[in-house]
Amino acid sequence: MTAIVAFGAVSALGEGRAAFAVDALDTPPRVAVARDDELGAAGLARPYVARVRGVTAGLGPGSAPSPGGDDERALVILDKAADGCAAGLDARMPGWRGLRVGLALGTSSGGLRTCEALFGSAEADFARLAAPGTFTYFAGLGRLTARLGLPTCRATLVLGACASSTLALGLAGAWLDEDACDLVLAGGYDAASVFVAAGFEALRATSRSGVMRPFTAERDGLVLGEGAALVALVASPLPLGQRGHVFGYVRGFGATADAVHLTAPDRNGGGLARAATAALRGSGLEPGDIGIVSAHGTATDFNDAAESRAIDAALGPAAAAATLHGFKAQIGHTLGAAGALESLACLDALSRGLAPASAGDGTLMEGLSPRRLAVAGPSTARSALKLSAAFGGANASLVLSLDPPTAARPRATRRVFATRAVHVDREPTLEELCARSGTLEKLSRTDRVTRLTLGALAALSDAEGPLEGAGIVVAQGLAAHETNALYWDTVKRRGARFAEPRRFPFTSPNAPCGECAIAFHLTGPGFAVGLGSAAGIEALSVAATLVRAGHAERMVVVAVDDVGPASAPSMSGPSGAVALVVTAEADWTEVLSAEVWACALPGAPRAPLSPAHVALLPLAATAPADCLECGPSWGVFGKVRLRAAGRGLRQE
């Protein structure tokens, strides 16, 4: 599908190839996890992290990020990956900045370290710190375009929690398939923080010993890690003279939603298995061609068991011949960077003829089919399967290979249509939601933005009929900002050891996706996006790309905003939600094009952000719109071109 021609990477193991290189033959894997001073000082009982070494930004006493944002730790780590990727491209593809460049970036927590200092500040201090936009989830995109020397580039910010960078690589391939870009930089990043560590500890998901033991009977949880990775992707096959520059190929992609639970996987691994099967189908390879399975491997009880079942379901008897690689046990769970770093580790093993080892001693869990090695062994494998899973029931899978496909994939030219949108301008009551989905006890745990999203889908279901089986993309202008502020207030008042386990899952921007998938049985691709005011158009663009490329038949698009006290200094406008369906079947209006672009994030935004759902309001009007535009605002802008179609036009 696509060829990787350059990369930049950083993890607790090092930079460049050192960030992901698997260990040599007959060598046990290195582990970079250590007890962490910052988490220990916060009072956490399980203060272990795999930190990126040599980066002091944001650590130590008095380390609140400055207005310039130069010490927002997550962005400093991302800078390192960007520099490495740019250097590789400069050496291999001079003039690449003159191509149609895309940027697909994933993150789980974005600028939350800045938010730790920001929340609870006086309004004047909030405005001062917020001016560069470093607190947002999308700040990294504007910073990247400036650092890479790109005046503008097509962009998306994937907020699919721990599956974010795997999803970003899949979307990058879909852009290339539809000839929207010549070159796409894709990957993800995250830094460890008290905010996130306290939440995972509250959920009892972190390891007591600080040792990850994936797929063993003794596994007791994950350890967080830091990292970033960007890969440069181009369409394949390449001309013969350029093949020496290829690090590997992404030949298949699949994404699904479990539609089972917000934080726990489908116990049978069904959603992850469907994602893996879709990736295999798209790759043109057979289960027997897979020599390595790069596992999500969080070393948590239910996740590892479900993933083991998913591998068996996807590969069948061929699973027994594959080597299982749990890279998180070495570099920690790097959240938004995990999929990209683990994919690079997989390709490194394939290119060096190694069956990679997995760290963490223990007795293999019962029923595990693939081989789990204590030391690296020899291998003749040419292809691998990458698996990722996340909060909100999001699953993503890639098929990676040293071998190019025998023929170029046909361009994705399928026509895409949109239904008329529905607009919800008030939060539904719990009683109203109970009549449609869930129980009062369950819904009372949700946050305001999730309830707005559920209300919008209820109205959309009334207008369009059952949504079962569709995928979903949820866009939020400031992501989970209001919920983050409420969660962090509790942490500050009670202490990190007393973070709220019920509220923490809703600090993930992917939470509304997960709750809607459960309530309306949405089992297609499911994740969040969040490019500020342009996020609504971004969600429409992403949904259209997935349908056009054949990764989904129907996608629900929701743009939703909860504008409250924490958001008000940076966002001006109403709360609300707009929802519609993007489909391959002729309907109300045809989506001719939908694109979002990023440019260098200005040092001081001239105006507050507009809520993301506002840009989609014309789609709820009686007559179809022919063009939607948003921005430029805080370094992003979007445009959609539409054409009225006949079948779904409603007479009012």
Side-chain angles (χ1 to χ4, degrees):
M1 182 169 68
T2 55
I4 298 174
V5 294
F7 62 84
V10 58
S11 76
L13 290 176
E15 293 183 39
R17 285 182 181 268
F20 57 79
V22 300
D23 293 277
L25 192 67
D26 298 325
T27 304
R30 297 156 295 155
V31 176
V33 174
R35 186 179 180 86
D36 187 69
D37 291 342
E38 182 184 50
L39 301 191
L44 290 174
R46 304 174 182 186
Y48 303 101
V49 172
R51 291 275 186 198
V52 170
R53 291 172 290 180
V55 176
T56 59
L59 293 180
S63 60
S66 69
D70 291 336
D71 49 3
E72 165 51 62
R73 185 173 179 82
L75 298 186
V76 173
I77 291 171
L78 177 59
D79 287 346
K80 289 180 171 289
D83 292 346
C85 192
L89 280 171
D90 289 339
R92 296 174 177 85
M93 294 179 66
W96 64 273
R97 291 174 179 84
L99 301 175
R100 297 176 300 160
V101 179
L103 181 56
L105 188 65
T107 186
S108 182
S109 56
L112 278 182
R113 290 186 64 92
T114 300
C115 284
E116 289 180 1
L118 195 61
F119 290 139
S121 299
E123 186 171 329
D125 291 336
F126 188 106
R128 179 181 64 84
L129 278 172
T134 53
F135 75 95
T136 64
Y137 284 82
F138 62 87
L141 266 161
R143 181 156 163 151
L144 270 186
T145 55
R147 195 169 187 90
L148 295 170
L150 299 170
T152 61
C153 63
R154 184 164 180 180
T156 190
L157 177 69
V158 180
L159 300 176
C162 309
S164 292
S165 58
T166 306
L167 289 162
L169 264 68
L171 287 172
W175 280 353
L176 293 167
D177 282 350
E178 64 179 351
D179 196 28
C181 299
D182 302 313
L183 168 74
V184 184
L185 307 182
Y189 73 102
D190 266 307
S193 65
V194 175
F195 185 110
V196 174
F200 275 106
E201 186 169 302
L203 293 178
R204 301 181 181 179
T206 50
S207 170
R208 293 183 297 274
S209 63
V211 178
M212 288 185 67
R213 298 180 172 88
F215 301 99
T216 68
E218 294 83 3
R219 65 192 186 278
D220 73 339
L222 60 86
V223 174
L224 290 174
E226 298 184 319
L230 283 177
V231 299
L233 298 160
V234 297
S236 63
L238 294 171
L240 186 61
Q242 295 182 24
R243 292 184 185 177
H245 299 321
V246 174
F247 186 60
Y249 296 87
V250 181
R251 290 188 50 169
F253 166 62
T256 62
D258 277 351
V260 170
H261 192 276
L262 186 59
T263 59
D266 172 358
R267 300 294 173 87
N268 293 316
L272 189 56
R274 286 187 289 105
T277 300
L280 277 167
R281 185 169 58 245
S283 73
L285 298 175
E286 298 296 328
D289 296 320
I290 300 300
I292 298 173
V293 176
S294 176
H296 189 58
T298 58
T300 50
D301 192 16
F302 293 135
N303 282 38
D304 283 11
E307 188 170 10
S308 175
R309 297 183 185 105
I311 293 167
D312 285 347
L315 298 183
T323 299
L324 191 67
H325 188 212
F327 195 40
K328 288 182 179 67
Q330 295 179 251
I331 63 169
H333 191 344
T334 56
L335 304 175
L341 283 168
E342 290 157 13
S343 293
L344 287 169
C346 235
L347 288 169
D348 180 67
L350 292 173
S351 65
R352 293 167 57 198
L354 293 171
S358 292
D361 295 337
T363 306
L364 293 186
M365 57 180 278
E366 186 177 350
L368 184 68
S369 295
R371 300 175 299 160
R372 184 185 183 278
L373 304 180
V375 296
S379 172
T380 59
R382 303 288 296 176
S383 300
L385 181 68
K386 173 78 207 97
L387 300 174
S388 293
F391 274 12
N395 305 295
S397 179
L398 303 170
V399 171
L400 308 164
S401 184
L402 299 181
D403 301 319
T406 55
R409 283 173 58 92
R411 289 295 184 194
T413 58
R414 186 157 67 159
R415 295 172 69 188
V416 177
F417 301 85
T419 66
R420 184 175 169 185
V422 299
H423 174 216
V424 173
D425 59 4
R426 69 170 182 87
E427 178 186 353
T429 66
L430 291 176
E431 289 72 21
E432 288 172 330
L433 288 177
C434 281
R436 302 300 302 268
S437 60
T439 64
L440 184 61
E441 179 186 3
K442 178 184 176 184
L443 290 169
S444 65
R445 303 176 187 176
T446 60
D447 62 348
R448 176 175 161 80
V449 74
T450 298
R451 292 193 288 271
L452 278 166
T453 310
L454 287 166
L457 257 68
L460 183 64
S461 179
D462 288 341
E464 296 297 328
L467 304 173
E468 185 173 353
I472 180 172
V473 182
V474 174
Q476 302 171 60
L478 281 178
H481 202 60
E482 294 297 323
T483 302
N484 291 347
L486 292 171
Y487 163 83
W488 186 243
D489 179 67
T490 300
V491 172
K492 288 198 301 181
R493 287 187 291 105
R494 299 181 181 176
R497 291 188 68 174
F498 302 98
E500 293 180 282
R502 289 189 175 188
R503 180 162 278 160
F504 175 66
F506 293 97
T507 67
S508 170
N510 208 48
C513 272
E515 291 290 4
C516 287
I518 296 166
F520 295 92
H521 309 290
L522 309 177
T523 54
F527 53 95
V529 295
L531 278 178
S533 296
I537 290 177
E538 178 190 11
L540 179 57
S541 172
V542 165
T545 291
L546 290 170
V547 172
R548 187 173 289 115
H551 295 303
E553 292 300 312
R554 289 195 306 160
M555 292 292 298
V556 173
V557 171
V558 187
V560 59
D561 298 278
D562 175 15
V563 184
S567 304
S570 302
M571 178 171 281
S572 177
S575 299
V578 172
L580 64 145
V581 175
V582 172
T583 174
E585 294 186 10
D587 211 293
W588 191 55
T589 184
E590 184 174 5
V591 182
L592 300 177
S593 65
E595 299 175 344
V596 171
W597 296 77
C599 55
L601 188 66
R606 293 184 175 88
L609 294 165
S610 296
H613 73 279
V614 171
L616 298 186
L617 282 174
L619 296 180
T622 301
D626 59 6
C627 184
L628 308 178
E629 291 185 287
C630 178
S633 176
W634 287 35
V636 292
F637 55 97
K639 185 173 184 178
V640 182
R641 290 193 305 115
L642 302 158
R643 179 172 60 197
R647 196 192 74 153
L649 287 176
R650 293 163 174 77
Q651 303 299 320
E652 303 261 344

